[in-house]
Amino acid sequence: MFKQKTEQGQTILKPRHKGPAGSNGADISRKNWHTIPHDEVMRQFESCRQRGLTESQVEKRLEQYGSNALPAHKPPTVLQIFLHQFRSPLIYILFIAAIVCILIGDMKDAIFIFAVLLLNAFLGTIQEWKAEKGAAALQSLMQTQAHVLRDGERIDIPQGELVPGDIVFLESGNKVPADVRLLEANNLSIDESLLTGESLPVEKNVSTLEDPALPVGDRRNMAYAGSLIIQGRGVGVVVATGLQTEVGQIAESVTAADVTKTPLIIRMERFTRRIAVVVLVGTFILGGVALIQGMPAMDALFFAIALSVAAIPEGLPVVMTVALSIATQRMARRNVIVRKLPAVEGLGSCTYIVSDKTGTLTVNRQTLRQVLLPDGQRFKVSGEGYHGEGEVTPVSGEYLSDAQYRSLAGLARAGILCNEGDLHYRPAKGDWSHQGDAVDIALLAFGYKLHLAPDEIRNAVEVAGEIPYESERGYAAVFYRENDTVKVAIKGAGEHLLPFCEQALIDGERRPMDRAEVERQVNTFAEEGYRVLVIAEGEMPAGHTGPFGPEELPPLTLLGFIGMIDPLRPEAGEAVRRCREAGIHVAMVTGDHPATAMSIARELGIAESREDIITGAELEALFNEDPAQGAEKIRDIRVFARVGPLQKLTIVETLIDQGHFVAVTGDGVNDAPALKKANIGVAMGSGSDIAKDISTIIVTDDNFATIEAGVEEGRFAYANIRKVIWFLISNGTAMIVLSLLALFLGMPLPLIPVQILWANLVTCGIQDIALAFEAGEPEVMKRPPYKPTESIFNRPMVVQTLVPGLTMGVVCFGVFCWFLQAGYELEQARNLTLLALVLMENYHAGNCRSQHRSVFRVPLRDNYVLVAGVLIAHGLHLLAMNLPLFQDILELSPVSFIEWLELALLASTVLIAVEIFKFFRRRSDYHESNGGARS
Ligand code: ADP
Ligand code: MG
């Protein structure tokens, strides 16, 4: 399956074709939009910058142009999956055997072999087909959102619902959702390497271009679907969607499939192949021995073939594919979307989680609780964070004085002007709707609580320039014209802004700022756990007409500070504790003030003292001085505050060097290097498209606890795969032991080749897959992680496999001898030996449900599939013993109930043997016996 998928994943180049023509006279399909002025573009699309399209326009255009999607690559057909089941060396051998049977006229055995092959392929097909469908369902969960203006309101819609004429907002970190002609561009730069191969981002502007033949890469006033917005903001009108976009024109499918073969599956295939070679050589030597002992040549050949079938775990790769697919589906149910399959097994090996604070450990609902003015006066703000209703009162006192109100309103006004969010009351629905950054919304709510009207304030000024908030910059600013001067309103982190502040506004007067005193106040504020934001303003020197960017900031006047509370996610503390129990370190990374970070880390139990915390600047100084010492320091640190993206990368690199298997979360453009470097990059559902593109998993609810759930599912999956391997290999061992004992003691074969085939492919071909459905055992999260380098079939597994393998082999051999001794016909003795083996396999399926827990402690309800599998498998065998056709081929005959009962009791020896083994293993130190433990 997987091979086919990668083959199909390649992009197919298709000739360019003309899209459908527009209905309103103008052919809007393939125009040189970059040469047309934007009001003309807007007119042709009957669109409006203030209102966007109306619902009815959208409906019509969706019908006309179709959805804004590129066709995904086709999944393999059922027939392809079915044929793929036959692509295995072992199957080839069986084919040869069947053909030999036909040649020597043994039609009965030939038909049987074909029937078994078909049944085997049929079972495999069902499983793989289900896995394939699961993968397709996951794809549909990964839809990206577009921000558009519709009916005058800014909303998020699935990207596929965009139509030509839509007004879309572009923001750093996201992908351009369709081909757009830019109407506004602020510091906008876009990576168009997908289309042009040019890896440097292109700076965009809005001016109309002349040359219609300009190559795509030079059309600076256009943004193309699928390219990545590296920096800045923009607004554009959609001119082409779906297949009409540039990218739709060059490639039928850009959703190239990920490499879906995981390292584990590759390793397993290698493992299976290696065993196959050894087994084939071994069994043919044994066949030779049998030949010398006087076995007819054909019998010796079939004996060798049958034994190979028994000993080669040919089902392993398929079962593992199924197990991984079950795991991805279980993860999806717990909000973890696996983008790269290796993550399933990788998550189980994770030893270190480096988590963002805001939004992951906290809910990112910023609630503005306190305000601090430069003169030290404090104010409380009541009411909810995302509502405009609430009171602002002095901390000491009941009412605001006029002077206090003026100071606060000035501060709020700056926060409203320098703001990308939106918050307004919807009388129709009786609620408050919000949009944009949580900090921005909190500031708008504060404005409403002071009875200001944010929209009026914004509309009253003319904006001259903007510096949008990017986390590495740490602040945002807006330049606006007022009374012939250009002013700037600015908000951001203290470290970034206070150095620019020279004055402070106190009682409406600009006074020199007492820096030491202000810094002391900010620190106390932050230590109380508030997320602190500085708000300031400034005035451009007269005559400065632009540009307006970070380099042009004038000296600033401090207006005050706001303190926001961002509540912890209720489940975060528990998740951190569970991680610790599972031997996983958790560290918190944040752009916030160390004191704010500390108060949250303490609440979560991540850190206890100032020793556990370091700031980005301190870290950089350490690394500049002596990288080894810096690395040593990181070992003990649990909280990284005021950290920039590059420092995040350093942290991840250092931890990986120290032998950790690191999962790191990220949401913005700047997190990309760290996400890429980490063993597991975790993107947030609400994060940027760039982060999602690079990440290995996406956590759709942004929640730290979900990462922990992912780790748990990863460990479950790994444990289940081990159970399947255990089951398959111990059964193979049993049959080899049984046959070898007979061979070396010069006795007739206890099972004839078709019986071995039957026992191997039919009567335990259902249970192995069923074991992949085992619900997880809670104990896995109480143990240290698996070493990622460790072989899945390690030394403890060998012992664990030999115990049931030898027990089953020896007991069945005993059964065979006993019945022969008692004077039974050879055929009847074989019949009973096979029944004993089939019974033992079923008991052993129970054993394999847990590697260390007693089978009686694993609830049946954890795996009804296995219960059904055991019943069906055994039912099939009972049926075969009673149906003439099978009696004939498999040389079976019915047994009495008493005989069945005796054998069933005897077969329980394998259960007892493994129970005793598990008992001693539990007593000895688990960590050692599992071998995979990390100290
Ligand atoms: P975190 O790592 O916790 O997400 P951020 O990098 O988002 O932290 O924020 C770090 C600091 O940047 C905050 O403490 C705040 O002072 C400032 N900040 C956050 N959001 C904004 C914004 N929208 N505008 C201006 N400053 C902001
Ligand atoms: Mg943030």
Side-chain angles (χ1 to χ4, degrees):
M1 168 181 79
F2 288 121
K3 191 175 260 155
Q4 284 169 9
K5 211 170 175 181
T6 24
E7 281 161 12
Q8 288 189 355
Q10 285 168 0
T11 49
I12 306 150
L13 291 180
K14 276 198 71 182
R16 289 182 168 248
H17 60 84
K18 283 255 169 214
S23 66
N24 45 1
D27 170 15
I28 61 169
S29 58
R30 307 252 349 122
K31 271 214 172 150
N32 290 316
W33 293 111
H34 61 285
T35 60
I36 305 174
H38 29 75
D39 31 348
E40 176 58 21
V41 178
M42 294 296 280
R43 203 188 53 74
Q44 290 201 18
F45 283 105
E46 297 169 354
S47 186
C48 162
R49 170 66 186 90
Q50 270 70 46
R51 294 194 49 83
L53 296 177
T54 62
E55 246 349 280
S56 66
Q57 275 176 311
V58 170
E59 239 166 71
K60 255 187 252 150
R61 292 187 192 190
L62 259 182
E63 218 162 272
Q64 188 184 348
Y65 298 103
S67 78
N68 178 32
L70 299 178
H73 71 274
K74 283 199 196 74
T77 62
V78 177
L79 183 68
Q80 280 170 324
I81 297 176
F82 184 73
L83 290 178
H84 184 242
Q85 305 297 318
F86 293 94
R87 272 211 235 154
S88 134
L90 201 77
I91 305 290
Y92 302 154
I93 294 177
L94 282 174
F95 260 118
I96 295 172
I99 288 167
V100 172
C101 285
I102 296 174
L103 290 181
I104 60 174
D106 184 358
M107 289 313 278
K108 203 179 66 175
D109 279 359
I111 290 171
F112 176 75
I113 293 176
F114 280 128
V116 167
L117 284 181
L118 278 180
L119 186 66
N120 191 45
F122 182 67
L123 284 179
T125 307
I126 296 180
Q127 295 305 329
E128 283 205 20
W129 185 64
K130 267 176 59 187
E132 192 63 51
K133 282 215 337 204
L138 282 185
Q139 280 292 325
S140 69
L141 282 178
M142 287 203 269
Q143 264 208 358
T144 35
Q145 299 277 313
H147 315 293
V148 296
L149 192 66
R150 294 248 176 109
D151 284 322
E153 220 179 314
R154 222 184 130 147
I155 52 170
D156 287 356
I157 58 165
Q159 187 179 308
E161 293 172 15
L162 276 184
V163 293
D166 260 328
I167 302 290
V168 291
F169 299 94
L170 308 177
E171 194 180 319
S172 56
N174 290 343
K175 277 191 199 165
V176 180
D179 285 2
V180 303
R181 167 73 153 92
L182 293 170
L183 304 174
E184 288 164 32
N186 177 16
N187 198 14
L188 187 66
S189 68
I190 298 187
D191 172 357
E192 292 178 336
S193 52
L194 177 73
L195 285 169
T196 60
E198 169 59 56
S199 59
L200 278 183
V202 184
E203 278 192 31
K204 297 288 180 181
N205 55 48
V206 295
S207 37
T208 309
L209 297 164
E210 296 272 300
D211 180 4
L214 271 183
V216 166
D218 291 337
R219 300 182 182 181
R220 300 270 172 148
N221 56 13
M222 298 284 295
Y224 292 100
S227 49
L228 299 169
I229 307 159
I230 301 297
Q231 226 191 79
R233 306 282 189 272
V235 182
V237 54
V238 173
V239 296
T241 57
L243 276 175
Q244 271 79 57
T245 60
E246 285 297 324
V247 61
Q249 298 275 312
I250 49 171
E252 182 158 77
S253 157
V254 278
T255 48
D258 278 311
V259 182
T260 36
K261 252 191 199 173
T262 87
L264 188 60
I265 289 192
I266 294 171
R267 252 192 288 158
M268 228 50 236
E269 284 183 347
R270 216 178 289 145
F271 171 75
T272 311
R273 235 176 291 137
R274 213 171 295 147
I275 292 192
V277 173
V278 174
V279 166
L280 282 180
V281 172
T283 46
F284 279 86
I285 292 176
L286 286 179
V289 173
L291 201 64
I292 294 165
Q293 286 190 349
M295 191 187 275
M298 268 305 139
D299 288 2
L301 177 70
F302 278 109
F303 167 67
I305 289 176
L307 216 50
S308 323
V309 174
I312 298 174
E314 73 284 348
L316 221 44
V318 174
V319 178
M320 292 217 325
T321 308
V322 172
L324 290 183
S325 130
I326 293 172
T328 52
Q329 284 165 46
R330 282 186 183 164
M331 286 185 181
R333 244 175 276 143
R334 295 176 78 172
N335 297 326
V336 178
I337 297 188
V338 175
R339 292 197 58 253
K340 299 174 183 151
L341 257 190
V344 177
E345 48 190 273
L347 271 170
S349 310
C350 171
T351 64
Y352 212 118
I353 302 177
V354 179
S355 171
D356 281 343
K357 172 176 73 69
T358 308
T360 308
L361 290 164
T362 67
V363 294
N364 195 20
R365 262 183 103 88
Q366 307 291 345
T367 307
L368 202 160
R369 277 286 164 71
Q370 287 220 346
V371 181
L372 171 67
L373 290 181
D375 58 5
Q377 294 191 76
R378 287 235 209 163
F379 302 86
K380 292 182 293 201
V381 182
S382 70
E384 273 186 64
Y386 286 10
H387 278 234
E389 287 140 29
E391 299 283 325
V392 185
T393 48
V395 166
S396 48
E398 258 177 77
Y399 301 105
L400 295 179
S401 69
D402 281 352
Q404 285 171 332
Y405 179 81
R406 270 196 303 275
S407 300
L408 290 173
L411 176 126
R413 181 171 179 267
I416 289 167
L417 286 173
C418 174
N419 200 306
E420 294 184 86
D422 184 33
L423 176 74
H424 61 261
Y425 184 69
R426 289 190 292 199
K429 297 203 176 139
D431 66 357
W432 289 82
S433 99
H434 59 82
Q435 172 88 37
D437 186 272
V439 170
D440 290 344
I441 299 168
L443 279 167
L444 293 174
F446 176 57
Y448 282 111
K449 288 172 189 176
L450 283 172
H451 310 290
L452 300 176
D455 284 342
E456 282 172 29
I457 292 178
R458 285 176 178 179
N459 290 337
V461 301
E462 185 200 336
V463 173
E466 257 176 297
I467 307 175
Y469 177 71
E470 311 271 6
S471 65
E472 93 256 47
R473 197 180 285 136
Y475 67 87
V478 64
F479 298 85
Y480 60 97
R481 285 180 222 285
E482 198 176 55
N483 312 332
D484 301 329
T485 51
V486 175
K487 293 188 172 167
V488 55
I490 189 162
K491 68 183 200 300
E495 280 84 338
H496 293 287
L497 291 192
L498 285 180
F500 289 98
C501 292
E502 292 181 356
Q503 293 177 309
L505 197 68
I506 295 173
D507 288 336
E509 277 176 46
R510 292 209 164 84
R511 300 197 194 150
M513 189 178 83
D514 179 351
R515 194 168 297 276
E517 175 58 18
V518 164
E519 272 166 15
R520 197 190 56 76
Q521 284 178 356
V522 177
N523 275 336
T524 11
F525 211 26
E527 271 158 25
E528 288 167 35
Y530 291 111
R531 191 172 154 90
V532 181
L533 201 70
V534 175
I535 299 192
E537 64 176 16
E539 208 173 292
M540 300 302 286
H544 182 95
T545 49
F548 300 104
E551 279 79 46
E552 286 78 31
L553 282 182
L556 300 175
T557 303
L558 175 68
L559 296 179
F561 304 90
I562 59 163
M564 291 165 288
I565 290 289
D566 180 12
L568 281 187
R569 286 186 178 272
E571 55 284 56
E574 172 66 10
V576 169
R577 197 189 58 69
R578 284 173 57 93
C579 281
R580 180 149 317 142
E581 203 170 72
I584 302 164
H585 302 280
V586 179
M588 182 172 104
V589 177
T590 175
D592 258 346
H593 193 282
T596 316
M598 189 63 212
S599 94
I600 283 180
R602 196 174 285 141
E603 215 174 318
L604 282 169
I606 289 181
E608 263 118 50
S609 66
R610 188 66 178 76
E611 309 285 276
D612 299 326
I613 180 169
I614 197 168
T615 66
E618 287 165 5
L619 193 68
E620 212 165 289
L622 261 179
F623 264 85
N624 286 340
E625 210 172 286
D626 176 10
Q629 202 191 335
E632 203 42 48
K633 184 80 187 167
I634 284 185
R635 208 183 278 277
D636 307 320
I637 291 295
R638 290 294 172 265
V639 179
F640 301 89
R642 287 294 190 227
V643 164
L646 270 180
Q647 292 153 353
K648 195 165 175 181
L649 177 64
T650 310
I651 296 167
V652 171
E653 278 173 343
T654 308
L655 290 172
I656 291 178
D657 282 346
Q658 289 171 358
H660 279 293
F661 200 84
V662 182
V664 65
T665 69
D667 47 14
V669 192
N670 317 310
D671 288 330
L675 284 177
K676 207 178 217 166
K677 177 74 199 175
N679 301 93
I680 299 165
V682 183
M684 294 297 144
S686 68
S688 66
D689 297 342
I690 294 182
K692 286 184 199 164
D693 259 17
I694 289 177
S695 64
T696 22
I697 62 169
I698 298 174
V699 167
T700 54
D701 60 358
D702 295 8
N703 193 340
F704 179 82
T706 303
I707 306 174
E708 188 255 338
V711 170
E712 186 177 76
E713 287 296 342
R715 290 191 180 189
F716 288 162
Y718 198 80
N720 280 357
I721 289 171
R722 277 213 159 138
K723 292 170 193 174
V724 174
I725 295 180
W726 183 21
F727 182 69
L728 281 175
I729 299 199
S730 33
N731 284 342
T733 311
M735 282 196 242
I736 293 175
V737 169
L738 175 61
S739 306
L740 285 188
L741 281 174
L743 201 64
F744 287 126
L745 295 177
M747 297 178 60
L749 288 179
L751 295 177
I752 57 172
V754 280
Q755 289 173 337
I756 293 184
L757 266 182
W758 173 258
N760 197 255
L761 292 179
V762 181
T763 59
C764 68
I766 309 174
Q767 293 95 316
D768 60 0
I769 288 200
L771 279 171
F773 285 88
E774 265 316 312
E777 302 177 66
E779 284 89 342
V780 297
M781 286 304 273
K782 300 210 161 55
R783 268 179 260 143
Y786 301 116
K787 257 190 210 142
T789 47
E790 202 208 22
S791 152
I792 200 163
F793 198 75
N794 56 4
R795 199 167 321 138
M797 276 284 280
V798 175
V799 184
Q800 177 187 307
T801 302
L802 281 179
V803 171
L806 285 173
T807 311
M808 290 194 278
V810 170
V811 169
C812 287
F813 184 68
V815 169
F816 182 59
C817 293
W818 194 83
F819 281 112
L820 280 184
Q821 214 84 71
Y824 278 59
E825 292 283 323
L826 180 58
E827 194 167 302
Q828 183 60 6
R830 281 179 173 153
N831 183 34
L832 290 160
T833 308
L834 181 61
L835 179 60
L837 183 68
V838 168
L839 282 165
M840 287 187 116
E841 281 175 349
N842 283 331
Y843 279 114
H844 189 44
N847 284 332
C848 293
R849 299 190 62 200
S850 171
Q851 287 190 66
H852 43 93
R853 264 195 305 176
S854 158
V855 59
F856 303 107
R857 292 188 179 276
V858 190
L860 275 187
R861 74 182 126 77
D862 277 2
N863 193 351
Y864 286 129
V865 183
L866 183 72
V867 178
V870 165
L871 291 180
I872 293 174
H874 200 59
L876 266 178
H877 189 69
L878 294 181
L879 210 64
M881 289 199 298
N882 289 287
L883 287 180
L885 176 70
F886 286 92
Q887 285 174 350
D888 197 22
I889 299 174
L890 290 170
E891 302 188 3
L892 296 181
S893 47
V895 295
S896 72
F897 176 68
I898 296 295
E899 281 171 321
W900 180 88
L901 197 65
E902 280 170 3
L903 287 179
L905 282 177
L906 189 65
S908 67
T909 43
V910 68
L911 195 78
I912 296 165
V914 173
E915 281 295 318
I916 294 173
F917 172 76
K918 285 181 184 172
F919 175 76
F920 281 108
R921 165 180 277 184
R922 279 198 300 272
R923 291 236 322 214
S924 76
D925 179 12
Y926 179 78
H927 295 235
E928 257 174 50
S929 66
N930 189 45
R934 177 182 286 273
S935 53

